[in-house]
């Protein structure tokens, strides 16, 4: 009931007077409500999008998986020919496997390991892309608090100034004639 009366009071005062601390408080409150509603809508709609794109927002898990794959690549490269290691280094940078395979000469016994290497490099690239997306999604979700919390602080300050004005601790209210 108090909320409804406060909103009615604010709208009646706005209709009859110039810009005041109370009307600024009302506008700030409306922005706060809109940002809160928008956040709730996004927060309810966003998880399925994240789940479909990256599975979850566990960046450390993705980094851990990427490190495990990198260790596998390092083990695979140990003791290989110079062409194999050179091709692997170029593949890590560019992933143009057909072009790389035309340039290097692999021993026939290295072909199985070469195919394994290509799969591992592709997996690392996917983990890298996934990590970037996870960080972007997390930043987007956390970004709402950087919008919503400052608005709430401003609202609390403006309401405090408005109440102090009403009780005579500042300039008289712009709509004192309504009292």
């Amino acid at each position: 009931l108090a909320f409804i009366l406060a909103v009615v009071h604010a709208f009646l005062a706005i209709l009859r007077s110039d810009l005041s601390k109370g009307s600024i408080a009302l506008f700030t409150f409306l922005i706060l409500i809109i940002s809160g509603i928008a956040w709730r809508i996004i927060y309810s709609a966003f998880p399925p999008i994240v789940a479909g794109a990256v599975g979850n927002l566990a960046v450390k898990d993705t980094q851990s998986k990427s490190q495990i794959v990198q260790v596998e690549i390092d083990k695979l490269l140990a003791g290989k020919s110079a062409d194999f290691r050179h091709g692997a280094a170029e593949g890590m940078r560019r992933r143009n496997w057909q072009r790389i395979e035309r340039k290097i000469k692999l021993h026939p016994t290295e072909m199985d390991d070469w195919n394994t290497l290509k799969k591992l490099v592709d997996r690392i690239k996917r983990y890298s892309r996934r990590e970037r997306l996870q960080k972007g999604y997390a930043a987007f979700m956390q970004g709402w608090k950087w919008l919503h919390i400052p608005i709430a602080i401003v609202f609390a300050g403006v309401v405090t100034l408005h109440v102090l004005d009403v009780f005579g601790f500042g300039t008289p209210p712009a709509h004192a004639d309504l009292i």
Side-chain angles (χ1 to χ4, degrees), residues 28-44:
T28 307
F29 184 57
L30 292 175
I31 292 170
L32 184 65
I33 289 172
I34 291 168
S35 73
I37 290 171
W39 179 80
R40 288 305 300 167
I41 290 169
I42 288 173
Y43 191 76
S44 65

Side-chain angles (χ1 to χ4, degrees), residues 15-36:
L15 294 175
R16 295 187 176 185
S17 69
D18 294 332
L19 189 65
S20 67
K21 289 180 184 84
S23 59
I24 293 171
L26 177 65
F27 290 127
T28 307
F29 184 57
L30 292 175
I31 292 170
L32 184 65
I33 289 172
I34 291 168
S35 73

